[in-house]
Amino acid sequence: MKLAFSAASPYVRKVVACAIARGIDGQIEKAKIGTTDPALLAMNPLSKVPSLATADGMMLYDSPVICEYIDSIGSAPPLFPPAGPARWTAIRQGALG
């Protein structure tokens, strides 16, 4: 997987934190790509970070989407509970982060 990132982005930090919590941070290549770089536009029509190219070539963008994807892979316990009050709490905490 390849993550387009900027170290200054809190949204990127949230994605990286999810990857660390899931134990898959070593599977993600971080690529510093500027928002005016055509390579980022190829990953994300909004030309924003974070953007993730998955191992199978799917392009994901927006930190909540990427975090949900990261939560679906690896063997660690899920970060986001199934539907119900606990899920709303987890999503709200993610928005605060």
Side-chain angles (χ1 to χ4, degrees):
M1 290 179 281
K2 184 176 183 178
L3 178 67
F5 87 105
S6 165
S9 169
Y11 305 108
V12 169
R13 289 193 298 271
K14 181 165 71 168
V15 167
V16 171
C18 284
I20 291 169
R22 296 286 298 160
I24 63 162
D25 51 308
Q27 299 175 33
I28 300 175
E29 172 192 350
K30 295 179 189 135
K32 188 174 181 180
I33 303 175
T35 56
T36 58
D37 189 322
L40 183 57
L41 189 58
M43 293 178 79
N44 178 344
L46 301 173
S47 196
K48 293 182 177 183
V49 294
S51 296
L52 180 74
T54 67
D56 62 358
M58 182 172 44
M59 302 300 177
L60 300 174
Y61 37 89
D62 197 27
S63 60
V65 175
I66 297 170
C67 289
E68 287 272 356
Y69 174 77
I70 287 172
D71 199 34
S72 75
I73 57 179
S75 59
L79 299 171
F80 301 104
R87 181 168 180 84
W88 293 117
T89 297
I91 291 171
R92 186 181 68 240
Q93 289 172 340
L96 181 61

